[in-house]
Amino acid sequence: MKTKRTVISIFTLCTALLFTACSGKGTSNTEASRNTQTEAGSEASGSSNTTLDDLYQQENQLFAEHEDAWNKAFGMMNKSTADPSGNYADYLAATVESNKDSFTDDELKTLTDDIETIRKIEEQIAAIEKDNTASDDASQKDNSDDTSPFRNFSGQDYDGNSVDESLFSGNAVTVVNFWFTGCKPCVAELSKLNELNDTIKSMGGEVVGINTETFDGNEDAIKEAAAVLESQGAAYRNLSIDSASDAGKYASNIMAFPTTILVDRNGNIVGDPMLGGIDNQDNYDTLMKQIQSVIDADGANK
């Protein structure tokens, strides 16, 4: 699996960033523990991931130094400008370019300069990831029947009730929304997600939230997230999961928040991720079409 950084609103760099000690979740070894690797291979993998984490931290430092400008840029990210498989610097540049009238001249210069620095960092990241591709591909072939991050799923809701993969098998479609408490676009869509959950229940669907700050049963983060959900009138199920689980690792690879995905009853991700809030009507309409498509396919397979 190719390692990616997590792009988030700068407001929570100290509390929610998945690569920092503030979040209580490290990722330097998430790709290193492969049962099929030799000891030497594991050491090499761990070293390359440590280097990757250091490079990501360099990017995150730029975001922290120019907090206001990047906060504005991250809030403008949406599905129409995002290509999760593409070049990271190009992704950021496209967001800034498509919204350039929203920035001052000074902000544009700051963002442009940062993007060029990030582009150079990305060249180093790409070189490391290229070296890791062969071993990753071999591992994926050996585990071809277990590639979905939602197989063998487990977690707990905010009341402490355990949840497993039957969450997905019981629904024609499960809408999984990844968010964190300090992300303004994430919070802004919570009431709309609750509305969506009410709408699709009769269709065999469900909305489930995964707040990345609540990983590993973080009680303080769970209380804070629950309070935010209540304040927004959002009563749909939210879960805390293990950061070291497949689903936790998947969340750590998310490029921007909020991100919403669709999962079928077999635990497979269907279609492309939706980046940006569904309080944007275009995003909402697009997501509803995708949901209906999954439900129709589920009905046809019965």
Side-chain angles (χ1 to χ4, degrees):
M1 177 184 295
K2 183 181 288 186
T3 306
K4 279 287 185 181
R5 91 286 304 136
T6 301
V7 179
I8 64 175
S9 172
I10 300 305
F11 179 77
T12 56
L13 271 173
C14 192
T15 59
L17 188 61
L18 298 182
F19 300 121
T20 67
C22 295
S23 69
K25 300 183 288 294
T27 62
S28 61
N29 295 318
T30 57
E31 297 297 328
S33 55
R34 307 270 188 184
N35 291 335
T36 59
Q37 289 178 324
T38 64
E39 181 178 352
S42 295
E43 291 176 356
S45 177
S47 176
S48 65
N49 282 312
T50 298
T51 303
L52 284 172
D53 285 347
D54 179 65
L55 291 169
Y56 298 151
Q57 289 288 9
Q58 292 180 39
E59 294 181 348
N60 293 331
Q61 185 60 38
L62 290 174
F63 300 148
E65 290 175 354
H66 305 126
E67 174 179 332
D68 292 340
W70 279 113
N71 242 347
K72 185 184 295 186
F74 289 144
M76 295 172 180
M77 291 178 177
N78 57 54
K79 185 177 176 65
S80 63
T81 60
D83 179 8
S85 63
N87 181 280
Y88 184 43
D90 289 343
Y91 168 69
L92 295 175
T95 298
V96 172
E97 177 63 25
S98 63
N99 297 280
K100 61 182 180 181
D101 292 340
S102 300
F103 300 105
T104 66
D105 290 342
D106 287 343
E107 287 173 336
L108 275 175
K109 184 179 187 309
T110 294
L111 294 172
T112 300
D113 289 347
D114 282 355
I115 288 170
E116 289 311 304
T117 301
I118 290 170
R119 194 179 301 281
K120 294 176 182 178
I121 295 173
E122 285 295 304
E123 292 175 359
Q124 300 177 63
I125 292 173
I128 294 173
E129 290 180 338
K130 183 177 180 180
D131 290 340
N132 290 340
T133 297
S135 60
D136 284 348
D137 287 346
S139 176
Q140 289 174 5
K141 289 179 181 178
D142 290 340
N143 296 280
S144 58
D145 294 332
D146 204 24
T147 56
S148 171
F150 299 105
R151 305 282 174 81
N152 302 314
F153 181 82
S154 65
Q156 288 188 325
D157 65 24
Y158 290 176
D159 292 323
N161 301 306
S162 296
V163 177
D164 58 22
E165 61 269 17
S166 64
L167 163 71
F168 304 107
S169 63
N171 298 322
V173 61
T174 304
V175 181
V176 183
N177 175 259
F178 295 94
W179 67 293
F180 61 90
T181 307
C183 167
K184 293 180 181 178
C186 300
V187 175
E189 71 167 345
L190 292 178
S191 60
K192 194 68 173 179
L193 285 166
N194 196 70
E195 177 185 322
L196 176 65
N197 185 54
D198 292 341
T199 299
I200 65 176
K201 276 183 179 179
S202 62
M203 303 163 63
E206 179 182 2
V207 175
V208 172
I210 296 181
N211 182 310
T212 57
E213 292 174 318
T214 67
F215 279 4
D216 305 315
N218 186 322
E219 293 184 2
D220 289 340
I222 289 173
K223 289 179 181 179
E224 186 175 4
V228 171
L229 288 163
E230 183 178 4
S231 72
Q232 299 300 311
Y236 60 89
R237 184 157 40 173
N238 269 256
L239 305 176
S240 171
I241 62 176
D242 187 344
S243 61
S245 67
D246 290 340
K249 293 175 184 178
Y250 177 87
S252 297
N253 289 335
I254 290 175
M255 185 177 291
F257 288 82
T259 286
T260 303
I261 63 172
L262 303 184
V263 180
D264 67 17
R265 70 170 67 251
N266 296 315
N268 298 313
I269 297 173
V270 182
D272 295 326
M274 168 73 71
L275 280 73
I278 65 166
D279 51 326
N280 175 297
Q281 190 62 43
D282 288 341
N283 283 353
Y284 183 87
D285 292 342
T286 297
L287 185 61
M288 279 301 301
K289 290 178 181 178
Q290 293 175 345
I291 290 171
Q292 188 63 60
S293 178
V294 177
I295 292 174
D296 290 345
D298 181 78
N301 290 330
K302 289 184 177 179

